[in-house]
């Protein structure tokens, strides 16, 4: 126990030094707000109509909040705010059932947030599958990593499903509220007046150009958002692409578990999405993937990927390739770097993205919604845009410990799990597999982080460097050699170079020391002097 406290003190001291360095380097640079109009963004038309004036404007007296987008974040937010009595106008580009190859795994921590929001029944009647952990494969060996669910209700577990079915259930829940209007339409721009967002301009399904006003506009239009440019600094990175397949009537070696294969060059995922279907996602580094149309992708999957698939899944994998329904999706990563903008807020993938390897995106979005709901509940009047904007700066701080832990873990694990010719990186990868295979606290701690059940930044740092130290120990025992000592030193520096840039991008102060940020203590505008 004393050793753990010493390690925590040392790590906290190191993080503090990095934080101090960050402040000194950046000096007093201030973020500038950008209020330029956005170019065309995708959005759709729906069912319930709003009261419109004769000049093509939606009567502003009928709406408290406009939500752009009705995906996971937008739909959940609409229901949450509508249930609190807000008059919500949701504008979504396409209200048909989405068909995506990501957003299909909800971690247990995300399911707990779903319960908190009253949306847990949205995983019912869609053939969703309960997920109890992961099976990790490397070089013919495998280990099972279970979620630490002993202290939770028996219903608490991960859930995997068809993304579109889940979204449609949440849209139905939101639209069932009389004060939520779900409309199909394409938002073309945010309406800005003297630096304040007053609403949106959008085109209905029938092609009519309309303007909608509200004191608060929340942009949730997803990873391809064109509206985010005026509300944040979008530094989007695309480290890889997912190639998606569906294996029919194929049983996983470990039932009700996600399967992660540490393949070359990068991980391969398998998890159930219905009682008869298993999703396979093959990660391909970079942005240029083999062509699907001319057969290059099928050849790549059969010759490069298939030999690394566990024998139990090989036949189903080949059959899925021959079926021909191969799809690709770029994996995006974007730190949350919003400009506090009067009258507007960013949420979901339009605001913050991480590599989807760990399936943490929906957990972050639902956690953010809980934070925003609690901040908005005491407010009766949203029309003082500047006061509201100042108050909601606390949202960006309060969300950080949870969101940044999940984001950092996703980015770090992707780099550790990917193959590399560097001997130090190879050792780190092997050390990670062996560390998790130890069981007990060595697996429960990291899996608690990954599942969103215990997303603590200090725990992430401790386990990440424990893996590195474990790897060094393996190198130095039983007898160290100069070569092994050198590789061990490079392993530690390599681990630092993986995780610290991600932490810095997330925001060291907000992630580790949120109570030192003035916005952490913001009171509702009505309580201000």
């Amino acid at each position: 126990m004393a050793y753990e406290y010493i390690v925590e003190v040392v790590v906290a001291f190191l993080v503090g030094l990095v934080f101090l360095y960050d402040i000194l380097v950046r000096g007093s640079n201030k973020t500038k707000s950008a209020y330029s109009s956005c170019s065309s963004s995708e959005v759709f038309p729906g069912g319930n109509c709003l009261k419109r004036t004769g000049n093509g404007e939606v009567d502003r007296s009928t709406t408290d909040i406009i939500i752009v987008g009705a995906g996971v974040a937008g739909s959940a937010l609409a229901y949450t705010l509508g249930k609190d009595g807000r008059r919500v106008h949701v504008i979504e580009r396409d209200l048909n059932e989405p068909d995506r190859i990501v957003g299909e795994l909800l971690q247990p921590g995300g399911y707990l947030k779903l319960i908190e929001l009253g949306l847990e029944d949205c995983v019912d009647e869609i053939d969703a599958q309960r997920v109890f952990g992961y099976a990790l494969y490397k070089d013919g060996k495998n280990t099972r990593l279970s979620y630490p669910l002993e202290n939770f209700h028996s219903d608490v577990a991960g859930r995997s499903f068809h993304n579109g079915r889940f979204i449609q259930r949440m849209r139905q829940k939101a639209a069932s509220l009389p004060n939520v209007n779900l409309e199909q339409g394409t938002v073309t721009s945010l309406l800005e007046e003297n630096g304040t967002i007053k609403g949106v301009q959008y085109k209905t399904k029938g092609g009519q150009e309309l303007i909608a006003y509200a004191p608060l506009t929340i942009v949730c239009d997803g990873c391809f958002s064109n509206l985010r440019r005026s509300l944040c600094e979008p530094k989007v990175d695309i480290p890889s692409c997912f190639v998606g397949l569906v294996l029919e009537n194929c049983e996983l070696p470990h039932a009700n578990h996600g399967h992660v294969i540490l393949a070359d060059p990068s991980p391969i995922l398998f998890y159930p999405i219905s009682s008869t279907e298993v999703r396979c996602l093959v990660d391909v580094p970079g942005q240029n993937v083999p062509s699907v149309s001319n057969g290059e992708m099928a050849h790549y999957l059969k010759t490069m990927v298939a030999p690394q698939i566990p024998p139990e899944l090989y036949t189903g994998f080949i059959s899925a390739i021959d079926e021909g329904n191969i799809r690709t999706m770029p994996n995006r990563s974007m730190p949350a770097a919003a400009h506090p903008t009067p009258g507007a807020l960013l949420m979901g993938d339009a605001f913050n993205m991480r590599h989807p390897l760990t399936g943490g995106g929906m957990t972050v979005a639902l956690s953010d919604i809980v934070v925003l709901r609690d901040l908005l509940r005491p407010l009766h009047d949203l029309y003082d845009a500047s006061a509201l904007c100042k108050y909601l700066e606390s949202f960006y701080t309060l969300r950080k410990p949870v969101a940044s832990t999940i984001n950092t873990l996703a980015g770090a694990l992707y780099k550790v799990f990917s193959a590399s010719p560097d001997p130090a990186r190879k050792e780190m990868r092997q050390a990670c597999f062996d560390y998790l295979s130890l069981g007990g606290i060595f697996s429960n701690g990291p899996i608690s982080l990954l599942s969103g059940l215990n997303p603590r930044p200090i725990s992430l740092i401790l386990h990440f460097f424990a893996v590195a130290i474990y790897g060094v120990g393996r190198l130095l025992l039983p007898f160290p050699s100069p070569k092994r000592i050198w590789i061990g030193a490079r392993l530690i520096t390599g681990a630092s170079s993986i995780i610290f840039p991600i932490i810095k991008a997330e925001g060291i102060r907000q992630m580790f020391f949120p109570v030192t940020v003035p916005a952490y203590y913001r009171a509702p505008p009505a309580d201000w002097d």
Side-chain angles (χ1 to χ4, degrees), residues 215-493:
L216 180 61
T217 298
I218 304 177
V219 176
C220 304
D221 57 341
C223 62
F224 298 105
S225 174
N226 287 327
L227 297 177
R228 67 163 68 103
R229 287 197 297 270
S230 59
L231 302 176
C232 75
E233 297 180 14
K235 298 177 181 178
V236 180
D237 181 37
I238 304 179
S240 66
C241 295
F242 267 156
V243 179
L245 301 165
V246 174
L247 283 60
E248 301 277 356
N249 300 309
C250 178
E251 291 189 8
L252 291 165
H254 299 274
N256 299 103
H257 282 67
H259 291 57
V260 183
I261 292 85
L262 302 189
D264 187 356
S266 50
I268 304 166
L269 307 180
F270 291 91
Y271 51 88
I273 54 173
S274 75
S275 55
T276 61
E277 298 165 297
V278 170
R279 167 68 71 195
C280 172
L281 294 174
V282 179
D283 186 85
V284 180
Q287 300 180 36
N288 297 319
V289 299
S291 171
V292 174
S293 59
N294 65 10
E296 288 181 3
M297 180 61 77
H299 178 74
Y300 173 82
L301 294 174
K302 287 184 176 181
T303 58
M304 300 296 292
V305 179
Q308 304 181 74
I309 300 295
E312 303 95 325
L313 299 171
Y314 182 85
T315 301
F317 183 75
I318 296 297
S319 297
I321 298 171
D322 292 337
E323 190 72 24
N325 188 20
I326 303 172
R327 301 174 58 193
T328 62
M329 173 76 179
N331 293 325
R332 290 172 165 79
S333 177
M334 185 183 76
H339 297 307
T341 305
L345 199 69
L346 274 171
M347 294 281 287
D349 283 350
F351 172 47
N352 184 204
M353 294 179 282
R354 77 290 310 147
H355 194 286
L357 172 68
T358 58
M362 289 188 287
T363 301
V364 171
L366 295 171
S367 177
D368 284 355
I369 290 169
V370 170
V371 172
L372 183 61
R373 177 201 65 184
D374 293 344
L375 285 172
L376 290 178
R377 268 184 173 169
L379 305 184
H380 302 291
D381 181 8
L382 303 178
Y383 279 92
D384 188 339
S386 60
L388 179 63
C389 178
K390 187 176 181 181
Y391 170 61
L392 289 182
E393 285 181 14
S394 60
F395 166 75
Y396 301 114
T397 300
L398 294 172
R399 69 177 294 275
K400 270 292 181 178
V402 171
S404 293
T405 300
I406 294 172
N407 295 344
T408 303
L409 179 65
L413 266 190
Y414 176 69
K415 292 185 177 181
V416 171
F417 280 178
S418 296
S420 171
D422 183 350
R425 287 284 296 275
K426 285 182 179 179
E427 288 292 339
M428 183 70 176
R429 193 187 198 209
Q430 185 64 50
C432 188
F433 179 84
D434 292 343
Y435 182 89
L436 293 171
S437 301
L438 293 173
I441 189 175
F442 305 104
S443 63
N444 285 344
I447 294 301
S448 292
L449 290 163
L450 185 147
S451 63
L453 294 172
N454 182 31
R456 295 171 56 219
I458 193 66
S459 181
L460 170 61
I461 291 288
L462 286 172
H463 281 286
F464 187 81
F465 280 101
V467 169
I469 293 169
Y470 177 75
V472 172
R474 293 171 67 254
L475 284 167
L476 300 185
L477 296 175
F479 301 107
S481 66
K483 181 180 179 181
R484 285 174 171 265
I485 292 173
W486 172 243
I487 293 174
R490 291 185 56 235
L491 193 158
I492 294 293
T493 57

Side-chain angles (χ1 to χ4, degrees), residues 70-357:
V72 171
S75 299
L77 182 62
Y79 176 76
T80 300
L81 297 180
K83 194 170 62 169
D84 277 359
R86 305 289 183 186
R87 297 167 299 177
V88 182
H89 180 193
V90 187
I91 308 172
E92 164 59 38
R93 181 182 60 84
D94 186 353
L95 288 174
N96 294 313
E97 183 174 307
D99 184 14
R100 303 180 65 202
I101 66 171
V102 293
E104 298 171 315
L105 177 62
L106 180 66
Q107 296 287 3
Y111 182 70
L112 288 174
K113 295 299 179 184
L114 210 63
I115 294 173
E116 191 171 349
L117 296 171
L119 288 164
E120 66 273 19
D121 58 344
C122 290
V123 298
D124 298 336
E125 301 177 10
I126 60 173
D127 200 15
Q129 302 298 297
R130 290 161 64 85
V131 178
F132 297 108
Y134 284 86
L136 192 62
Y137 286 73
K138 186 180 187 297
D139 299 332
K141 298 180 180 179
N142 71 86
T143 184
R144 189 167 67 176
L145 311 169
S146 298
Y147 294 136
L149 300 172
E150 298 81 8
N151 298 324
F152 295 93
H153 186 274
S154 60
D155 188 51
V156 176
R159 293 293 193 281
S160 54
F161 38 67
H162 281 266
N163 172 269
R165 296 176 187 174
F166 179 56
I167 287 176
Q168 290 300 88
R169 287 279 289 158
M170 289 204 293
R171 288 174 177 174
Q172 291 166 7
K173 285 271 288 189
S176 69
L177 298 176
N179 51 321
V180 174
N181 294 276
L182 187 60
E183 181 177 17
Q184 187 164 303
T186 301
V187 173
T188 54
S189 65
L190 300 176
L191 299 178
E192 179 262 326
E193 183 179 305
N194 298 324
T196 299
I197 302 300
K198 298 291 187 179
V200 299
Q201 182 171 347
Y202 69 104
K203 185 180 292 186
T204 68
K205 187 175 182 178
Q208 184 181 8
E209 292 277 359
L210 294 175
I211 292 175
Y213 293 98
L216 180 61
T217 298
I218 304 177
V219 176
C220 304
D221 57 341
C223 62
F224 298 105
S225 174
N226 287 327
L227 297 177
R228 67 163 68 103
R229 287 197 297 270
S230 59
L231 302 176
C232 75
E233 297 180 14
K235 298 177 181 178
V236 180
D237 181 37
I238 304 179
S240 66
C241 295
F242 267 156
V243 179
L245 301 165
V246 174
L247 283 60
E248 301 277 356
N249 300 309
C250 178
E251 291 189 8
L252 291 165
H254 299 274
N256 299 103
H257 282 67
H259 291 57
V260 183
I261 292 85
L262 302 189
D264 187 356
S266 50
I268 304 166
L269 307 180
F270 291 91
Y271 51 88
I273 54 173
S274 75
S275 55
T276 61
E277 298 165 297
V278 170
R279 167 68 71 195
C280 172
L281 294 174
V282 179
D283 186 85
V284 180
Q287 300 180 36
N288 297 319
V289 299
S291 171
V292 174
S293 59
N294 65 10
E296 288 181 3
M297 180 61 77
H299 178 74
Y300 173 82
L301 294 174
K302 287 184 176 181
T303 58
M304 300 296 292
V305 179
Q308 304 181 74
I309 300 295
E312 303 95 325
L313 299 171
Y314 182 85
T315 301
F317 183 75
I318 296 297
S319 297
I321 298 171
D322 292 337
E323 190 72 24
N325 188 20
I326 303 172
R327 301 174 58 193
T328 62
M329 173 76 179
N331 293 325
R332 290 172 165 79
S333 177
M334 185 183 76
H339 297 307
T341 305
L345 199 69
L346 274 171
M347 294 281 287
D349 283 350
F351 172 47
N352 184 204
M353 294 179 282
R354 77 290 310 147
H355 194 286
L357 172 68

